[in-house]
């Protein structure tokens, strides 16, 4: 199952924190695929940031779902975040090197539980060091043209699959959108 997520998506947090255990329990193999949902939403003129009522609802809904799922959350996290897309490009590097699950949990936990700002260069260096990575080398690779092209390619792949939001789960040609569809996607992966 392909797991499309975006550092900056509120609901991606819930999936990032529970998807590995859920997939293992279902016997489903995962592929972590960071992509630029912000670019897709801008292209589709689906701009949540201009709808204060929806933003308020999303923050409260996230609090309820996190409590229901037993996932720690400190309300009032900064949003939107990562305007330069550094956190997401680091996710591309991490996915290519096999440490994306640990990175994603760390970056989302820092954001949602400690109100760290994803994409802040100094916070990024500290987080990467805590993960045992060479922070300077990872950031340099994340800023490389090769990684920028890979990030754009993942975004194009998401668009070609009809993805319009994050998190999204894809099994074959079947698309499941939203953290509340994780179990449906895993069930589909097991039975089809």
């Amino acid at each position: 199952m392909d797991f499309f997520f975006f550092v900056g998506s509120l609901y991606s947090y819930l999936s990032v924190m529970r998807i590995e255990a859920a997939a293992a329990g279902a016997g489903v193999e995962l592929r972590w695929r960071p992509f630029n949902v912000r670019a897709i939403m801008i292209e589709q003129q689906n701009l949540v940031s201009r709808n204060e009522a929806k933003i308020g609802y999303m923050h409260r809904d996230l609090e309820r779902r996190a409590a229901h799922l037993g996932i720690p959350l400190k309300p009032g996290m900064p949003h939107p975040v990562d305007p330069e897309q550094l956190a997401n490009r680091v996710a591309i590097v991490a996915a290519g090197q096999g440490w994306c699950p640990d990175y994603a949990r760390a970056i989302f936990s820092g954001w949602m539980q400690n109100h760290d700002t994803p994409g802040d260069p100094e916070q990024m260096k500290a987080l990467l060091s805590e993960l045992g990575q060479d922070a300077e080398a990872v950031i340099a690779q994340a800023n490389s043209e090769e990684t920028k092209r890979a990030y754009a390619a993942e975004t194009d792949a998401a668009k070609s699959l009809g993805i319009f939001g994050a998190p999204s789960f894809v099994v074959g040609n079947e698309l499941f959108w939203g953290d509340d569809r994780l179990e449906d996607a895993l069930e589909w992966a097991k039975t089809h």
Side-chain angles (χ1 to χ4, degrees), residues 7-10 38 55 59 62 73-82 107-118 120 123:
V7 179
S9 158
L10 297 172
R38 188 176 293 149
I55 291 170
H59 279 255
L62 183 68
L73 176 82
K74 180 181 172 186
M77 75 292 296
H79 187 254
V81 295
D82 197 23
I107 195 83
F108 273 96
S109 293
W111 176 30
M112 294 290 179
Q113 298 171 27
N114 303 326
H115 293 188
D116 296 341
T117 305
D120 176 89
Q123 291 178 3

Side-chain angles (χ1 to χ4, degrees), residues 36-47 155-156 159-160 163:
N36 189 346
V37 76
R38 188 176 293 149
I40 291 172
M41 292 175 78
I42 289 169
E43 185 178 291
Q44 296 174 350
Q45 298 181 3
N46 180 15
L47 304 175
T155 303
D156 288 342
K159 279 194 274 190
S160 74
I163 292 175

